[in-house]
Amino acid sequence: MNHTALQLLLAGLVVLPLVGALAALLPAPPGLRGKNPDQAVLRHGVTVTGVVLAAAIALAAGFDHGHPARMQATTDISWIPALDIRIHLGVDGISLPLLVLTALLTFLCALYSYFRMPTGPSPKAFVALLLTLEAGTLATFAVLDLMLFFLAFEMVLIPMYFLIARWGGAHKQAAAWKFILYTLLGSVVMLLGLLLIGVKSGTFDMVALATDNGPKAQLSHTVQLLAVLAIGIGLAVKSPMWPLHSWLPDAHTAAPTVGSVLLAGVLLKMGTYGFVRIALPITPEGMHTFAPYLAALAAVGIIYGSLACLALVRKGAGGDLKRLIAYSSVGHMGFVLLGIASMTPTGVNGALFANIAHGLITGLLFFMVGALKDRTGSTDLDTLARSAPGPRSAGSGAAALLPAPSGAALYARAPRFGGLLAFGAVASLGLPGLAGFWGEMLAMFGAFRPAAGLSRPAFLTFMVLAGLGTLLTAAYLLLVVRRVCMGGSVDLAGAAVLGTADPDDGTGADPDGTPAPAPALPDLARYEYAAWTPLAALTVLAGLWPAALLGLTDPAVQQLLGGGK
């Protein structure tokens, strides 16, 4: 595909959602209203996001895969000459997968919302906000000017705030305010770092700044330290890095289903992408100084997220399944930050792979948890476990060691739904052969042999902590499957009791242990198949064929870390 066509495709990716957002607020033409105006505007959202996804796929098909390190589809137009701010767009092997992931998840969210619109105000505003959010996220991954990056980075905050505050669940106002305050305060500090780079180097051009013999030479060691500290705080809030993560569980728990999918699937990736695109190539000396601290906080985040999930999954803890998946994101994104902190091609490639894998798997999990709440009316783990009781006694001997899902368990009541939920859980714990495995493994390999000058004993310690985190992750996710899908319970010591019911289940089981009949639970609907199958299929594909993604990112990472060489 020629350069002009690629230019138009990339520009269209950014502009079309904005045009669609404005059109969503206008009255629908008489011939397109369908049964009612609400249906028309929801169909409009599906159409626009579908066209954007088609453009993203066309861009990926026309991309020169033989030279993924080279910026392609570039547009460079002067916008504010007095400040040397330019409309500079481009895509390489690092940003292309994130563009496609964003377009895919937004389309699937629009499709899901067409059939399952969250409770709230008019769909007009919902669709307009969804499209504005997509435009800001796509622009973040496409722009190559520091000031444009900041504007795009901030552009997503207002739509997400209103999606949580107007269409969210319990405590939505408090969660929305916490989200906006944390991210805005972090962004103000980040802006100071970006301005420092621009003033000291004389340019905001990210491509020029990434080369060793370019304007980056004007940045002294002290300037790089200050810039990394300021920019890193803003990016760490969005990533989210422990201990700046506390806004995330509240935001996820209160957000509507599609809000949680986009928040976990693409918005968190904006922070880690900023580390790779800005901090690593433009301020390498500053990153080298702060890398051990970043790795330490990443390792703590991995352990903290896993322990928090284990606490939530325990019987009687009143844990929320949606909140548990949010805390799991803190751990998974810790692997991404650990890979970046290693400052090696292996670690950074692992971080980029883990970004995509997390978007696919966690997006699927949040879709399913939202659908589970629609079916059962709750995401409380104790409530879900009580709705799936088994016999009072698991028996003795070898039979007691076998899973004994009751007729009320999710596997029995909605087998395809339960199977897909279990698939998402084992993919999230990093089962080999699925997408979650490769990114975490490569991130730990990067920590095993970090960049020259970094303390190897310290990074080996961080690697061991990350390895422990993988075991804890497997533990809590398997316990989730046990409680929700198989009808088992977890006692206060955290041990799984196979096929046993909570003693206070309140289901009216007979004294001899025979469970009361459970009400019917709808299995997967057609629109759920349509929205979730692509995520499951890509999770398997990325796990079995990781070279498809690593072949794009590795040359670009090598050039980025090599100072443009």
Side-chain angles (χ1 to χ4, degrees), residues 141-163:
F141 299 136
V143 298
L144 298 173
D145 184 277
L146 290 177
M147 288 297 99
L148 280 186
F149 175 85
F150 176 78
L151 293 176
F153 197 86
E154 295 302 288
M155 182 177 170
V156 304
L157 300 184
I158 300 303
M160 182 54 70
Y161 167 82
F162 281 109
L163 285 175

Side-chain angles (χ1 to χ4, degrees), residues 137-475:
T137 310
L138 290 170
T140 301
F141 299 136
V143 298
L144 298 173
D145 184 277
L146 290 177
M147 288 297 99
L148 280 186
F149 175 85
F150 176 78
L151 293 176
F153 197 86
E154 295 302 288
M155 182 177 170
V156 304
L157 300 184
I158 300 303
M160 182 54 70
Y161 167 82
F162 281 109
L163 285 175
I164 297 172
R166 302 299 298 276
W167 287 271
H171 311 297
K172 57 187 180 182
Q173 293 292 342
W177 274 110
K178 195 171 185 180
F179 163 77
I180 200 75
L181 289 176
Y182 265 74
T183 49
L184 276 178
L185 289 174
S187 298
V188 169
V189 180
M190 184 178 74
L191 177 60
L192 297 177
L194 297 176
L195 290 173
L196 179 63
I197 291 176
V199 170
K200 293 297 183 180
S201 67
T203 183
F204 292 106
D205 190 293
M206 294 159 66
V207 176
L209 285 165
T211 58
D212 282 342
N213 57 354
K216 180 169 64 176
Q218 305 298 320
L219 302 177
S220 66
H221 181 70
T222 302
V223 169
Q224 290 197 32
L225 285 176
L226 293 174
V228 167
L229 182 61
I231 295 171
I233 289 174
L235 297 176
V237 171
K238 188 66 71 75
S239 292
M241 183 185 74
W242 183 91
L244 303 175
H245 69 285
S246 60
W247 61 270
L248 183 70
D250 291 339
H252 269 308
T253 304
T257 297
V258 296
S260 292
V261 171
L262 293 176
L263 182 59
V266 293
L267 263 68
L268 302 188
K269 313 304 178 285
M270 294 165 60
T272 52
Y273 173 79
F275 276 110
V276 175
R277 181 64 77 193
I278 299 173
L280 279 177
I282 297 177
T283 55
E285 294 180 23
M287 270 297 293
H288 195 278
T289 299
F290 284 108
Y293 304 100
L294 178 62
L297 293 174
V300 171
I302 293 171
I303 299 297
Y304 171 84
S306 300
L307 292 177
C309 291
L310 279 173
L312 288 170
V313 80
R314 291 170 61 190
K315 176 185 165 186
D320 185 279
L321 183 55
K322 204 173 184 185
R323 194 174 189 86
L324 183 146
I325 297 173
Y327 272 111
S328 77
S329 292
V330 176
H332 288 308
M333 298 308 290
F335 282 97
V336 177
L337 293 170
L338 179 62
I340 293 170
S342 73
M343 297 187 69
T344 63
T346 300
V348 176
N349 276 303
L352 293 172
F353 198 103
N355 259 346
I356 301 300
H358 180 263
L360 295 172
I361 298 168
T362 308
L364 174 63
L365 287 173
F366 274 121
F367 266 133
M368 300 202 70
V369 173
L372 189 61
K373 184 175 183 179
D374 291 336
R375 285 163 165 80
T376 64
S378 175
T379 54
D380 179 80
L381 279 163
D382 290 332
T383 302
L384 294 173
R386 285 196 298 270
S387 70
R392 292 292 182 184
S393 173
S396 61
L401 300 178
L402 298 175
S406 72
L410 192 57
Y411 280 162
R413 299 172 66 192
R416 288 184 291 275
F417 191 100
L420 190 57
L421 181 62
F423 168 83
V426 297
S428 185
L429 63 82
L431 184 73
L434 298 176
F437 171 74
W438 295 106
E440 295 181 0
M441 183 193 70
L442 290 173
M444 288 192 288
F445 275 171
F448 179 74
R449 197 175 298 278
L454 295 177
S455 171
R456 194 178 182 209
F459 272 82
L460 285 176
T461 303
F462 304 145
M463 184 195 73
V464 171
L465 291 174
L468 175 61
T470 62
L471 298 178
L472 296 175
T473 300

Side-chain angles (χ1 to χ4, degrees), residues 3 6-15 71-77 86-92 95 138-145 148-149 152 205 207:
H3 177 67
L6 289 176
Q7 275 185 314
L8 293 174
L9 282 173
L10 184 57
L13 282 178
V14 177
V15 174
M71 279 294 171
Q72 302 180 36
T74 54
T75 299
D76 192 0
I77 303 171
R86 309 182 67 81
I87 300 177
H88 193 181
L89 306 177
V91 61
D92 64 355
S95 54
L138 290 170
T140 301
F141 299 136
V143 298
L144 298 173
D145 184 277
L148 280 186
F149 175 85
D205 190 293
V207 176

